[in-house]
């Protein structure tokens, strides 16, 4: 009866008790979403056209809409209550709900059965593992017991064979010709008993019974040789272990840094500046490749880093590098003196002139005016490294910086150091400009 007010055509039928779940759910879905075209305008209490003016007609229309909405809501509530009543009492819906409930119960039971089966399987595996472990332990105990019994049997046989050997030798008076030999042979028998196994002692007894003294003397000789070989092997092993320990101890002693190695370290630090990947490993490899070593010891990255920090933080004016530079400067000074002496013309020396001491060396006066050319002495490699290290040691903020730098470099004045620094700066700038032009 209510289907005649439906906005949708083809209203689904109720069906019968044999209808499928899809058919029944479609029927109730339609009615739960029922859309009625009834507007209840015929039940309006007042007519809009009877209003005296526009405002009154609007008010009448508003009142009518409110009444219609109320009636439509009541109508939909009535239909929904009817559908709920039908849905609650429909035997097909009850059957579907019971089927769903049975499925859930069956699924739950299946899960429980699976959990129980899994638990039972785990318990079975644990039990089997325990049984296997017990069997293995029992087998191990049996094996150990058999091994112990075997060892006991071997010890018993060994004691028996040793007693047989002692009795045999004693019955033969230890094959000795005098009392001293008797004592030594008794001691030899005990050594033989300690060295040989049961089967070997048994074979020795047979040899002694057949050959007599010769077999006994041969056994003594072999036992002495065997003991000597064992002592020699023990001594060699002990000696090898001592040498290995000494070698390891020597390798653990830190390498002494010579002036040449420190100069090489300064060179490596300049070649591989900060930012180099694995810098101190690279510096250590450089020292190991280019340095001279008297043994197998080599530098590692930690030792190189500690020495570089030590050089940077120590008083550079008292370092061993300065001593090396002083020695190099003295050698250069001696070479210059020899050059000056050899360059003097012997024919131009006046016999009446007395020699003049120059720098502690007797130098004759020249008849003519000799102009000594003051050529600028080139910077040596050691002086250059000393200058670079001193510049790093004394930063720009240091008071009287160039005086302190000059003190670190023998036979070089403050002016020489500043001039050399400017030359290096100009050289670096020129290289950068050339690189930019090439790009």
């Amino acid at each position: 009866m209510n289907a005649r007010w439906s906005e949708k055509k083809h209203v689904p039928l109720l069906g019968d008790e044999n209808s499928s779940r899809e058919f029944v759910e479609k029927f109730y879905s339609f009615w739960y979403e029922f859309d009625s075209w009834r507007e209840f305008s015929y039940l309006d209490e007042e007519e809009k056209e009877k209003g005296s003016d526009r405002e009154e007609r609007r008010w009448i229309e508003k009142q009518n809409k409110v009444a219609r909405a109320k009636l439509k809501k009541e109508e939909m509530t009535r239909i929904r209550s009817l559908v709920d009543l039908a849905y609650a009492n429909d035997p097909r819906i009850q059957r579907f709900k019971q089927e769903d409930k049975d499925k859930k119960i069956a699924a739950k039971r299946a899960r429980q059965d699976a959990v129980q089966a899994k638990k039972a399987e785990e318990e079975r595996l644990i039990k089997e593992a325990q049984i296997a472990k017990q069997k293995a332990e029992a087998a191990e105990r049996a094996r150990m017991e058999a091994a112990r019994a075997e060892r006991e049997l071997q010890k018993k046989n060994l004691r028996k064979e040793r007693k047989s050997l002692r009795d045999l030798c004693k019955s033969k008076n230890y094959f000795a010709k005098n009392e001293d030999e008797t004592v030594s042979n008794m001691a030899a028998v005990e050594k033989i008993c300690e060295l040989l196994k049961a089967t070997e002692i048994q074979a020795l007894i047979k040899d002694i019974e057949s050959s007599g003294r010769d077999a006994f003397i041969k056994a003594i000789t072999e036992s002495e040789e065997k003991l000597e070989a064992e002592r020699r092997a023990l001594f060699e092993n002990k000696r090898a272990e001592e040498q290995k320990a000494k070698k390891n101890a020597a390798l653990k002693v830190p390498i002494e840094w010579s002036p040449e190695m420190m100069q090489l370290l300064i060179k490596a630090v300049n070649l591989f500046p900060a930012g180099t990947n694995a810098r101190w490993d690279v510096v250590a490899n450089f020292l190991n490749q280019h340095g001279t070593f008297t043994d197998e010891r080599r530098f590692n990255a930690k030792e190189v880093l500690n020495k570089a920090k030590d050089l940077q933080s120590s008083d550079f004016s008292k370092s061993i590098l300065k001593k090396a530079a002083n020695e190099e400067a003295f050698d250069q000074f001696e070479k210059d003196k020899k050059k000056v002496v050899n360059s003097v013309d012997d024919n131009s020396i006046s016999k009446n002139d007395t020699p003049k001491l120059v720098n502690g060396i007797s130098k004759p006066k020249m008849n003519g005016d000799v102009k000594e050319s003051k050529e600028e002495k080139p910077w040596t490699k050691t002086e250059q490294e000393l200058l670079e290290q001193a510049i790093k040691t004394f930063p720009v903020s240091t008071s009287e910086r160039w005086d302190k730098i000059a003190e670190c470099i023998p036979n070089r004045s403050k002016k020489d150091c500043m001039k050399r620094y400017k030359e290096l700066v100009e050289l670096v700038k020129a290289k950068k400009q050339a690189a930019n032009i090439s790009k």
Side-chain angles (χ1 to χ4, degrees):
M1 293 172 61
N2 293 302
R4 63 181 183 272
W5 293 310
S6 175
E7 285 282 355
K8 298 178 181 179
K9 304 299 180 184
H10 308 292
V11 178
L13 300 176
L14 178 62
D16 54 16
E17 59 180 5
N18 297 322
S19 299
S20 62
R21 179 190 289 263
E22 183 181 359
F23 185 87
V24 176
E25 288 178 351
K26 183 179 179 182
F27 173 79
Y28 282 104
S29 296
F30 173 83
W31 284 105
Y32 274 119
E33 298 173 359
F34 182 73
D35 187 13
S36 176
W37 52 262
R38 295 181 70 183
E39 59 178 355
F40 301 96
S41 58
Y42 63 92
L43 297 176
D44 292 343
E45 295 181 359
E46 297 184 10
E47 295 182 5
K48 183 177 66 174
E49 287 76 6
K50 292 181 179 181
S52 59
D53 54 12
R54 185 173 64 181
E55 294 296 330
E56 187 178 357
R57 287 193 293 272
R58 286 182 177 178
W59 182 83
I60 293 171
E61 181 66 22
K62 185 177 180 181
Q63 295 296 322
N64 290 336
K65 285 183 178 180
V66 171
R68 293 172 191 171
K70 183 178 179 181
L71 293 172
K72 182 148 181 120
K73 184 177 180 181
E74 293 175 353
E75 178 69 9
M76 296 306 298
T77 302
R78 181 186 66 81
I79 294 175
R80 180 62 181 262
S81 299
L82 178 61
V83 176
D84 288 339
L85 182 63
Y87 188 85
N89 293 277
D90 194 333
R92 299 173 300 179
I93 298 298
Q94 294 176 0
R95 186 176 72 249
F96 296 153
K97 288 182 178 180
Q98 186 63 35
E99 291 176 356
D100 294 339
K101 185 177 180 180
D102 294 340
K103 286 182 180 179
K104 288 182 180 180
I105 293 174
K108 183 178 180 181
R109 188 179 293 110
R111 289 194 299 270
Q112 291 176 351
D113 293 341
V115 170
Q116 291 178 356
K118 184 177 179 182
K119 186 177 180 180
E121 181 66 17
E122 291 177 354
E123 291 177 354
R124 184 184 66 80
L125 293 175
I126 293 172
K127 189 175 180 180
E128 289 179 355
Q130 290 177 351
I131 294 172
K133 184 179 179 181
Q134 291 175 358
K135 289 182 179 179
E137 291 176 352
E140 182 65 19
R141 285 195 299 270
R143 186 188 65 80
M144 293 177 66
E145 187 66 24
R148 187 184 65 79
E150 182 67 21
R151 288 195 299 271
E152 292 294 331
L153 181 61
Q154 290 179 358
K155 289 180 180 179
K156 184 177 179 181
N157 293 334
L158 182 61
R159 288 194 296 269
K160 180 180 178 182
E161 297 299 332
R162 285 176 179 176
K163 186 176 183 302
S164 300
L165 179 62
R166 291 189 185 102
D167 294 341
L168 177 62
C169 294
K170 184 176 181 181
S171 64
K172 301 292 184 181
N173 196 21
Y174 298 100
F175 301 96
K177 297 179 181 179
N178 51 47
E179 293 183 359
D180 294 336
E181 190 176 0
T182 302
V183 174
S184 63
N185 288 351
M186 287 175 65
V189 169
E190 295 300 324
K191 290 181 182 178
I192 292 172
C193 291
E194 294 294 330
L195 288 175
L196 300 183
K197 298 179 181 178
T199 55
E200 294 174 344
I201 294 175
Q202 190 176 6
L204 177 60
I205 291 173
K206 291 181 180 179
D207 292 339
I208 292 174
E209 288 176 351
S210 61
S211 301
R213 177 181 172 84
D214 295 336
F216 180 72
I217 298 300
K218 181 180 178 182
I220 293 175
T221 305
E222 290 178 353
S223 64
E224 291 293 338
E225 291 177 355
K226 189 174 182 180
L227 287 173
E228 183 64 24
E230 289 180 356
R231 285 194 293 268
R232 191 180 298 108
L234 182 63
F235 177 76
E236 292 295 333
N237 292 335
K238 186 176 180 181
R239 184 178 177 183
E241 290 178 358
E242 290 178 354
Q243 291 178 353
K244 186 177 180 181
K246 289 180 180 179
K247 185 177 180 181
N248 293 334
L251 291 176
K252 291 179 181 179
V253 176
I255 303 175
E256 184 178 356
W257 286 84
S258 63
E260 293 78 9
M261 294 304 295
M262 283 191 284
Q263 293 175 8
L264 195 61
L265 172 60
I266 295 172
K267 180 178 179 181
V269 169
N270 294 330
L271 284 175
F272 307 105
T276 305
N277 187 21
R279 181 191 184 192
W280 296 108
D281 291 324
V282 175
V283 172
N285 291 333
F286 181 84
L287 293 177
N288 295 330
Q289 290 176 2
H290 297 85
T292 56
F293 300 91
T294 58
D295 50 23
E296 297 180 358
R297 291 182 296 171
R298 294 294 182 269
F299 291 109
N300 55 37
K302 187 177 180 180
E303 293 175 346
V304 173
L305 176 59
N306 292 335
K307 189 61 180 178
K309 289 182 179 179
D310 186 33
L311 287 176
Q312 189 174 7
S313 61
S314 61
D315 187 359
F316 189 72
S317 61
K318 298 179 182 178
S319 67
I320 192 169
L321 284 178
K322 184 176 179 182
K323 182 179 178 182
N326 286 330
E327 294 176 356
E328 186 175 349
F330 181 76
D331 294 339
Q332 187 67 27
F333 175 70
E334 292 292 335
K335 291 179 182 178
D336 293 342
K337 282 196 307 181
K338 291 180 181 179
K339 288 182 181 179
V340 171
V341 173
N342 293 332
S343 63
V344 176
D345 187 2
D346 294 337
N347 296 327
S348 63
I349 300 176
S350 175
K351 296 180 180 179
N352 297 325
D353 293 337
T354 58
K356 181 181 179 182
L357 291 175
V358 178
N359 293 329
I361 299 175
S362 178
K363 183 177 180 181
K365 293 183 180 179
M366 302 296 180
N367 289 334
D369 294 334
V370 179
K371 295 182 179 180
E372 295 180 0
S373 60
K374 291 185 178 181
E375 296 181 357
E376 185 178 356
K377 188 169 69 171
W379 283 70
T380 63
K381 181 179 178 182
T382 304
E383 291 176 340
Q384 178 66 34
E385 292 173 352
L386 288 170
L387 176 62
E388 293 174 359
Q389 184 62 35
I391 289 172
K392 294 178 182 178
T393 305
F394 303 108
V396 181
S397 59
T398 306
S399 60
E400 298 181 357
R401 182 192 185 198
W402 289 104
D403 292 330
K404 294 181 179 179
I405 292 174
E407 291 177 359
C408 298
I409 307 170
N411 299 329
R412 291 293 180 180
S413 63
K414 173 182 176 182
K415 185 177 179 181
D416 293 338
C417 296
M418 295 177 68
K419 185 177 179 181
R420 180 60 178 171
Y421 177 73
K422 291 180 180 179
E423 290 177 357
L424 294 175
V425 172
E426 294 296 331
L427 182 61
V428 172
K429 289 182 179 179
K431 287 183 178 180
K432 288 183 178 180
Q433 291 177 359
N436 293 332
I437 292 171
S438 63
K439 290 180 180 179

